[in-house]
Amino acid sequence: MRDRFWEHFALDQLEQDEWEALCDGCGRCCLVKLEDEDTGELHFTDVVCRYLDTQTCRCTSYATRLKVVPDCLQVSVDIAQRYDWLPASCAYRRLARGEQLPTWHPLLTGTRTSVVDAGISVRGKVISEALVPEDLLEERIVQWVR
Ligand code: SF4
Ligand code: SF4
C-alpha cells in the first residue's frame, strides 16, 4: 500500500488492497434499511442481514453474497458518491464526498479495535433478521447510525 494513499489519490485511482483497507469492518452497511415511501428518506434499523456474523462483523457468505442477498451492496465509487445507503461514518462515502478519514479509522490508529472502541461497530448492538418478523422492522429504527 502506498503511504497515506487516501490523502494522495482519488478512490478510482486506488489499488485493490488500498480499496479494501478503507473498509473499517463496522458492519453498518449490512443493517436492514427502510425507505419512507413519501419522502424517500432512508432509516437504519438495528436488524442486520442474516449472513453477518454479529460477533466478528464479517460476512459469512462473502463470495456468494450478491447472489444470496439481492440488495447486498457492492460498494463502488458511484454508490459512495451518489447514494445514502452507506452510513456517514463509512470511509468510502466520506472520501467520495471530499471528507477526511475519521480519527478512529484503523488506517490511522493501526488497530481494528478502534472501530469498536469508538462505538462505530455494530458488534453487540444488533439482532439478526432471522429473528425479527418483517412487520416489526419499523419498530427497530435506530438513530445511532447516520
Ligand atoms: S459501512 Fe463502509 S466501512 Fe463499514 S463495513 Fe460497510 S463498507 Fe465497510
Ligand atoms: S450478504 Fe454479507 S455483505 Fe451482504 S448485507 Fe449480508 S452480511 Fe452484509
Side-chain angles (χ1 to χ4, degrees):
M1 272 185 274
R2 295 167 289 188
D3 188 40
R4 296 183 78 89
F5 63 87
W6 59 92
E7 292 177 347
H8 305 301
F9 300 96
L11 284 177
D12 59 6
Q13 296 174 323
L14 298 186
E15 294 167 1
Q16 188 61 31
D17 60 338
E18 294 169 342
W19 176 267
E20 301 287 343
L22 287 177
C23 178
D24 60 41
C26 69
R28 289 183 168 195
C29 56
C30 303
L31 294 171
V32 173
K33 295 167 274 300
L34 299 176
E35 187 172 14
D36 187 308
E37 286 179 7
D38 299 325
T39 64
E41 191 181 356
L42 207 60
H43 298 283
F44 287 87
T45 71
D46 65 356
V47 179
V48 77
C49 173
R50 70 187 67 238
Y51 294 104
L52 193 78
D53 181 321
T54 54
Q55 286 308 305
T56 63
C57 294
R58 298 266 175 197
C59 179
T60 60
S61 188
Y62 194 75
T64 57
R65 69 193 194 286
L66 299 177
K67 280 189 188 149
V68 295
V69 179
D71 58 356
C72 176
L73 278 183
Q74 172 87 50
V75 181
S76 65
V77 177
D78 185 50
I79 282 180
Q81 280 173 336
R82 296 176 50 204
Y83 299 102
D84 291 336
W85 303 333
L86 290 170
S89 58
C90 177
Y92 298 110
R93 173 171 160 159
R94 293 175 73 102
L95 295 182
R97 300 172 191 212
E99 298 168 25
Q100 303 290 317
L101 282 189
T103 53
W104 44 261
H105 196 282
L107 283 168
L108 296 174
T109 63
T111 171
R112 298 192 78 77
T113 58
S114 57
V115 182
V116 179
D117 296 341
I120 300 301
S121 169
V122 302
R123 188 192 298 178
K125 298 177 179 173
V126 292
I127 183 170
S128 171
E129 65 181 341
L131 302 173
V132 179
E134 208 172 325
D135 59 349
L136 294 184
L137 283 175
E138 270 188 44
E139 296 175 19
R140 311 274 332 183
I141 289 173
V142 291
Q143 303 301 326
W144 50 263
V145 187
R146 294 288 178 192

